[in-house]
Amino acid sequence: MVLFPLGAAGAGPPATSPLPGHLLATHVPGGRAVAVAALAATAVGMAVWLLARPPRTVVAAADRVARGLALAMCLMPATRFGYLVYPLVLAAWFRRDRFLSSHGRFSVAYESQL
C-alpha cells in the first residue's frame, strides 16, 4: 500500500506514465529519493496550508484535498495517468448537488427530506 507508489515494492507498475515522479525516479541518479522528498515536502506544504488557512466550506475542503492528491499522484515514483481520475472525482463529487439542482432533475431540499 505504501511501498508500491514509492517505487520500493520490487515490482514496477505494468503501465508507467511520464509524470514528474516517475521521470525523476528513472532518469535522475538518486531520483527516487528526490521524488519521495518532493512528495513529503508537498504533504507538509498541504498540511501547513490547511492549518494556516482552513477551508470554510465542504467544497473548498474537497478542492484542497483534490489538489494535494493530484500533486501526490504526480510526484509518486510509480504512478499512472489513470490515478489522476481520483482527484477529479473528489473535486466533482461535492459539486454534484449544485449541478443537479440547477438542471431541475434533483433538489437539495428533496434530498434532505429523505
Side-chain angles (χ1 to χ4, degrees):
M1 194 85 174
V2 174
L3 294 179
F4 181 76
L6 296 178
T16 58
S17 299
L19 293 170
H22 176 71
L23 294 175
L24 280 171
T26 56
H27 298 295
V28 174
R32 191 172 75 76
V34 173
V36 171
L39 184 60
T42 299
V44 169
M46 289 300 298
V48 168
W49 186 29
L50 285 170
L51 291 173
R53 295 190 59 201
R56 295 177 188 240
T57 65
V58 172
V59 173
D63 285 346
R64 287 200 194 176
V65 172
R67 285 182 193 133
L69 190 56
L71 284 169
M73 297 296 178
C74 287
L75 293 173
M76 286 191 297
T79 190
R80 300 162 73 170
F81 278 125
Y83 294 164
L84 294 174
V85 168
Y86 298 120
L88 293 174
V89 169
L90 180 63
W93 185 260
F94 290 97
R95 289 177 170 79
R96 76 189 188 289
D97 293 340
R98 191 178 326 161
F99 173 75
L100 292 175
S101 65
S102 69
H103 288 82
R105 294 185 198 133
F106 185 80
S107 172
V108 176
Y110 179 74
E111 180 187 60
S112 64
Q113 294 173 358
L114 295 177

